[in-house]
Amino acid sequence: MTNADALETLPALDRSSESPMWFQVLRSIESGISTGVWSHGSKLPSEHELREHYRVSRTTIREALARLEKSGIISRQQGRGAFVDTTQAPSSWTLESAPSLLGQLADGDRSALTSTVLRSGVDVLPPWAAAVFKGDGHGFVLERTRAVGTLTAVHVVNYMPKRFAAVLPSLRDPRASLYVAAEQVLGTRITRMHRTIEAHSADRALARLLEIEEGHPIVVVEAVAYDQNDEPIDFSRASVRTDRMRVTVDSGHNAAGLDAKSTSGTYPAR
């Protein structure tokens, strides 16, 4: 496929949109990469070809390419051009009937996703979480972004009882698993999960964290995790950028089937 043919398969720019031209060019090129128009190692069209196709300025093209490079999607080589440089990484979060982590475990007990901790420690809980955990209204709050390779795909906040602050030292490893740490440090094992999946649009804060425009569609997964005593010990809210991580559902079950208790749960009203 020639560069001209490849460019014709990409989404067109919406010149009536309030989104900046560089952002629309970025998303158009990113779409071509994600759908296989250009594979890993492929050379992208030149700045001149991109400028002619999109009918935008050189500054717009360079801004889009700079952002793609910063995200690790492409690499640019002096005198040679831009090349697809996506990192091979898991692209699916499977919601199994049995408890599973956010992202597959890759090496032993380490997650295949990498995390950046934005906020952690004992803090005031939302009223709906405080009512379940009881106590003085405080609990362990953990806010992170999680990445597929170098690409931020998920923003997640966990609300847990205060004792779970003890797992913080274990989370210094960016690929540490929260639930594995809880079992190793506190002996708390997750035995079942209840999840609610909804479509949302990103507000300004989420758009910045997930590297998308405000109002862009996302999937929000709210979850309750129960321990071996069937007590709720974690309420979480994950906002997923689904062009970088698909949310899939595994509805399999064991030979005995699943009873109502093991497949049901509630998320507190807010």
Side-chain angles (χ1 to χ4, degrees):
M1 182 185 296
T2 66
N3 282 339
D5 291 335
L7 288 167
E8 289 302 322
T9 68
L10 303 184
L13 306 188
D14 180 1
R15 299 186 185 276
S16 65
S17 172
E18 295 182 359
S19 297
M21 285 293 107
W22 67 261
F23 184 83
Q24 293 191 51
V25 171
L26 178 153
R27 293 306 301 267
S28 181
I29 296 173
E30 192 178 46
S31 172
I33 294 171
S34 66
T35 57
V37 174
W38 297 294
S39 58
H40 181 75
S42 296
K43 184 178 180 179
L44 294 179
S46 68
E47 288 186 11
H48 175 75
E49 289 172 312
L50 291 170
R51 190 172 73 250
E52 289 293 309
H53 172 74
Y54 289 113
R55 294 184 292 115
V56 294
S57 69
R58 176 177 296 177
T59 300
T60 295
I61 295 298
R62 289 184 172 177
E63 179 69 16
L65 293 177
R67 301 270 183 153
L68 287 167
E69 184 175 36
K70 183 178 180 181
S71 296
I73 297 174
I74 68 169
S75 61
R76 290 187 289 179
Q77 302 175 21
Q78 185 69 32
R80 295 191 62 205
F83 296 81
V84 178
D85 193 30
T86 52
T87 303
Q88 300 302 308
S91 60
S92 178
W93 172 15
T94 301
L95 305 186
E96 304 174 0
S97 54
S100 64
L101 307 184
L102 179 54
Q104 303 92 329
L105 293 182
D107 304 321
D109 290 333
R110 301 179 76 213
S111 174
L113 301 184
T114 56
S115 296
T116 299
V117 176
L118 306 177
R119 177 169 55 120
S120 62
V122 175
D123 204 342
V124 177
L125 292 172
W128 48 268
V132 175
F133 295 146
K134 301 182 171 50
D136 60 1
H138 289 71
F140 176 53
V141 180
L142 178 65
E143 180 181 5
R144 297 171 289 172
T145 55
R146 308 204 67 185
V148 178
T150 60
L151 308 180
T152 300
V154 184
H155 170 265
V156 60
V157 183
N158 298 81
Y159 301 102
M160 310 177 79
K162 282 191 289 188
R163 68 180 184 277
F164 285 89
V167 307
L168 262 179
S170 300
L171 301 180
R172 289 173 184 157
D173 179 352
R175 288 177 55 196
S177 162
L178 172 61
Y179 290 165
V180 168
E183 184 167 5
Q184 293 175 343
V185 175
L186 297 172
T188 300
R189 179 170 50 87
I190 305 301
T191 58
R192 68 183 180 96
M193 301 279 289
H194 172 73
R195 299 180 177 93
T196 301
I197 306 174
E198 292 184 315
H200 281 257
S201 57
D203 60 21
R204 181 174 299 180
L206 271 178
R208 178 178 56 82
L209 292 170
L210 294 177
E211 301 169 353
I212 53 179
E213 61 185 337
E214 185 177 355
H216 190 80
I218 58 173
V219 166
V220 172
V221 181
E222 292 186 334
V224 187
Y226 296 81
D227 66 10
Q228 61 267 44
N229 300 315
D230 207 39
E231 294 292 330
I233 52 87
D234 179 31
F235 297 104
S236 63
R237 179 182 174 90
S239 301
V240 185
R241 179 174 166 170
T242 56
D243 59 334
R244 291 182 173 176
M245 172 171 280
R246 297 185 302 273
V247 179
T248 62
V249 176
D250 179 359
S251 58
H253 55 80
N254 58 31
L258 298 171
D259 59 27
K261 182 177 181 180
S262 63
T263 58
S264 65
T266 57
Y267 206 87
R270 288 182 287 171

